[in-house]
């Protein structure tokens, strides 16, 4: 499952003259080596970038005086590759889980710091998570009653602040929840509030007082408050500072508000950052299969990728930054053609375009060239859809020493049928 390339990194891409590639972590990666040994399409991740993103948040917390009160739990489902997330272990961060299978695989890789936020779940699953002892954020009054009935070691809840269809106890149920806990002589361990995704610092700052108001009014003995995720990431920007959520100002406001509203200093603050931590740690490298196709209907760059590899881009109408490379993996920078084209996937599906809209096509793009799609470290490889028989892409991790490792092998041509029975099996009692 974990194969190290037998060749150390070379500075092949450091030769890039001009363009944007040299200013990214990818500019220091030997893409030619990866293509030769793994092929395309392939997701490539940077351990260095992941550590930098985590350290940015930890440093902001220390500056705000919250270093000993803040805990990070990065959601596992947006990038469910244990090799990619391994640095979180020695940086003191945990993982957020949703289903028991995630817990099982992560135990095999030595992870042991978790919180659980599964949505609506059965009594059997509540009992399963209760037995692990990890905080589990329950989403309905019925779930909480059952957890109390079996003596769950801790009670945590997820609150739907938007009163939406999302799982979560609604605002109108908080009085009843507080009374239920009091009747059982139990304190709430932690509560989290869902406030939507992709929010700006201003949006997230507005939620702080709401969180502490809930704490003071309903659960003043709670041991921790979970501000969850939703921290925005600007996919359209090339500038690293502009891309990322402003944790420094946000956490300073949080610290000041906690002091002003009398939140005890022993109360911990939990966060579940996903995009801000993971997005720019990954890219998707594709191969171009033909010269630019121009016809009366459209202009198309044909690739060996597919929207099935990262459906979130089309689903959210999100434009990622893109670069084009020649057959030697050197960036093509001449945009004097003034042409734009769609990035076509490999299937016959009419809408198999990997990204929405069109992108400028540089001079020199032809069969054998490559396309790099940036900021795909979150909600991409994990979202691969088994549709139209497109196998999953390989995944490669570049470590701190610049060495590339194969961490997920490519799906084979028969991957779609891996559970197909060789013969029918009669079901009988």
């Amino acid at each position: 499952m974990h194969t190290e390339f037998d060749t150390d990194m070379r500075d092949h891409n450091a030769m890039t003259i001009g363009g944007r590639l040299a200013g990214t972590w990818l500019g220091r990666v030997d893409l030619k080596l990866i293509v030769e040994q793994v092929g395309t399409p392939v997701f490539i991740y940077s351990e260095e970038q992941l550590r930098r993103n985590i350290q940015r948040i930890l440093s902001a917390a220390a500056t705000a005086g919250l270093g000993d009160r803040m805990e990070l739990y990065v959601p596992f489902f947006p990038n469910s590759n244990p090799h990619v997330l391994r640095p979180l272990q020695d940086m003191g961060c945990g993982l957020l889980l949703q289903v028991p299978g995630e817990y099982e695989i992560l135990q095999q890789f030595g992870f042991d710091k978790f919180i659980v936020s599964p949505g609506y779940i059965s009594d059997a699953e509540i009992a399963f998570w209760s037995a692990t002892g990890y905080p589990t954020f329950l989403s309905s009054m019925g779930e909480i009653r059952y957890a109390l009935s079996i003596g769950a070691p801790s009670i945590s809840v997820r609150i739907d602040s938007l009163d939406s269809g999302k799982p979560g106890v609604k605002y109108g149920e908080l009085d009843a929840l507080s009374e239920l806990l009091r009747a059982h002589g139990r304190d709430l361990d932690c509560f989290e509030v869902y406030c939507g995704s992709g929010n700006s610092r201003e949006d997230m700052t507005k939620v702080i007082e709401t969180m502490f108001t809930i704490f003071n009014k309903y659960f003043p003995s709670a041991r921790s408050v979970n501000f969850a995720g939703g921290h925005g990431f600007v996919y359209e920007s090339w500038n690293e500072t502009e891309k990322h959520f402003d944790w420094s100002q946000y956490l300073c406001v949080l610290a000041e508000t906690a002091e002003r509203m009398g939140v005890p200093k022993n109360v911990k603050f939990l966060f579940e950052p996903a995009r801000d931590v993971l997005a720019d740690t990954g890219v998707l490298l594709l191969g171009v299969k033909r010269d630019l196709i121009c016809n009366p209907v459209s202009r198309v760059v044909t690739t060996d990728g597919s929207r099935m590899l990262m459906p979130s881009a089309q689903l959210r109408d999100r434009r990622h930054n893109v670069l084009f490379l020649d057959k030697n993996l050197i960036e093509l920078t001449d945009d004097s053609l003034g042409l734009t084209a769609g990035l076509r996937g490999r299937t016959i599906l009419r809408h198999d375009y990997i990204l929405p809209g069109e992108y400028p096509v540089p001079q020199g793009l032809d069969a054998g060239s490559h396309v790099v799609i940036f900021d795909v470290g979150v909600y991409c490889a994990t979202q691969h859809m088994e549709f139209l028989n497109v196998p999953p892409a390989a995944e490669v991790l570049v470590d701190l020493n610049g060495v590339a490792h194969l961490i997920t092998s490519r799906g084979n041509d028969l991957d779609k049928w891996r559970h197909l029975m060789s013969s029918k099996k009669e079901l009988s009692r």
Side-chain angles (χ1 to χ4, degrees):
M1 186 174 183
H2 181 183
T3 304
E4 180 174 332
F5 288 0
D6 56 8
T7 307
D8 289 338
M9 290 293 294
R10 302 190 294 266
D11 291 331
H12 172 81
N13 289 104
M15 296 186 296
T16 303
I17 300 175
R20 295 187 181 272
L21 186 63
T24 70
W25 61 262
L26 192 66
R28 301 185 296 276
V29 174
D30 189 348
L31 297 179
K32 194 169 186 178
L33 172 66
I34 293 174
V35 170
E36 288 171 352
Q37 298 201 19
V38 178
T40 58
V42 56
F43 289 94
I44 306 171
Y45 307 103
S46 167
E47 178 183 351
E48 177 187 14
Q49 188 64 38
L50 175 61
R51 288 180 177 272
R52 182 159 56 241
N53 291 345
I54 291 292
Q55 190 57 54
R56 179 189 299 108
I57 302 174
L58 298 179
S59 297
T63 299
L66 298 176
D68 60 345
R69 298 181 68 179
M70 187 179 79
E71 295 184 7
L72 296 181
Y73 291 89
V74 177
F76 183 52
F77 59 87
N79 188 321
S80 54
N81 195 308
H83 295 297
V84 174
L85 302 180
R86 191 180 292 278
L88 300 179
Q89 292 172 296
D90 55 54
M91 298 189 78
C93 302
L95 291 174
L96 179 147
L97 308 181
Q98 287 193 121
V99 297
E102 295 175 334
Y103 177 62
E104 181 178 347
I105 188 68
L106 286 166
Q107 280 191 305
Q108 296 177 25
F109 283 82
F111 289 84
D112 60 4
K113 185 176 182 180
F114 306 116
I115 60 174
V116 185
S117 188
Y120 296 127
I121 54 174
S122 67
D123 290 351
E125 201 164 333
I126 293 172
F128 172 88
W129 290 119
S130 179
T132 69
Y134 292 110
T136 302
F137 291 86
L138 304 174
S139 297
S140 72
M141 294 294 290
E143 293 170 21
I144 297 163
R145 290 190 188 95
Y146 181 76
L148 291 168
S149 74
I150 64 173
S154 67
I155 301 293
S156 297
V157 300
R158 174 184 170 101
I159 299 171
D160 176 16
S161 66
L162 303 179
D163 279 341
S164 68
K166 283 274 192 176
V169 175
K170 310 308 177 186
Y171 270 167
E173 297 178 301
L174 294 186
D175 280 317
L177 174 57
S178 179
E179 183 59 36
L180 178 64
L181 292 168
R182 188 161 40 249
H184 283 78
R186 298 291 298 270
D187 290 327
L188 196 66
D189 184 68
C190 184
F191 68 90
E192 69 169 306
V193 175
Y194 171 74
C195 57
S197 61
N199 295 309
S200 67
R201 176 174 56 82
E202 292 75 15
D203 293 331
M204 297 300 285
T205 299
K206 293 175 184 176
V207 178
I208 294 173
E209 290 214 18
T210 300
M211 297 283 284
F212 290 149
T213 297
I214 293 173
F215 175 89
N216 286 330
K217 182 176 181 180
Y218 298 102
F219 313 114
S221 56
R223 301 176 184 87
S224 55
V225 177
N226 185 355
F227 289 82
H231 310 91
F233 181 88
V234 183
Y235 286 89
E236 298 82 6
S237 177
W238 282 100
N239 182 278
E240 186 171 328
T241 300
E242 293 176 356
K243 284 178 183 289
H244 286 280
F245 186 79
D246 188 345
W247 286 93
S248 294
Q249 292 193 37
Y250 170 69
L251 291 177
C252 284
V253 172
L254 190 150
E256 183 277 325
T257 307
E259 180 75 20
R260 172 168 50 83
M261 298 185 69
V263 178
K265 293 188 179 298
N266 65 311
V267 174
K268 299 285 188 179
F269 302 138
L270 280 56
F271 298 89
E272 304 169 1
R275 293 170 182 81
D276 188 69
V277 168
L278 298 170
D280 63 351
T281 65
V283 304
L284 175 59
L285 180 63
L286 306 172
V288 176
K289 310 314 292 180
R290 299 196 63 82
D291 294 355
L292 181 66
I293 295 176
C294 299
N295 57 47
V297 176
S298 62
R299 286 188 295 269
V300 177
V301 175
T302 58
T303 75
D304 55 10
S306 172
R307 68 178 297 175
M308 306 311 163
L309 297 178
M310 46 175 292
S312 58
Q314 289 285 5
L315 179 66
R316 293 182 175 272
D317 194 29
R318 186 172 60 226
R319 290 177 64 84
H320 290 252
N321 285 319
V322 168
L323 290 180
F324 295 92
L325 315 178
D326 67 14
K327 64 181 180 181
N328 293 313
L329 287 303
I330 302 298
E331 182 179 357
L332 295 167
T333 59
D334 184 355
D335 291 332
S336 60
L337 285 176
L339 299 178
T340 61
L343 300 182
R344 179 78 187 163
R346 61 182 290 185
T347 75
I348 198 171
L349 181 68
R350 175 183 177 185
H351 299 294
D352 192 6
Y353 286 87
I354 302 162
L355 297 175
E358 296 189 342
Y359 287 79
V361 178
Q363 184 81 31
L365 186 76
D366 56 16
S369 296
H370 298 83
V371 182
V372 179
I373 302 174
F374 284 82
D375 302 331
V376 302
V378 63
Y379 299 117
C380 287
T382 302
Q383 282 196 343
H384 167 74
M385 296 173 63
E386 292 193 349
F387 184 59
L388 299 185
N389 307 328
V390 175
E395 294 180 283
V396 166
L397 174 67
V398 180
D399 67 19
L400 288 178
N401 296 317
V403 178
H405 305 258
L406 182 65
I407 56 174
T408 300
S409 60
R410 180 181 318 286
N412 63 50
D413 290 341
L414 299 182
D415 190 67
K416 177 72 175 182
W417 302 279
R418 64 188 178 279
H419 299 303
L420 182 68
M421 304 290 288
S422 58
S423 60
K424 294 182 295 184
K425 181 180 180 180
E426 181 179 344
L427 301 181
S428 60
R429 295 189 183 278

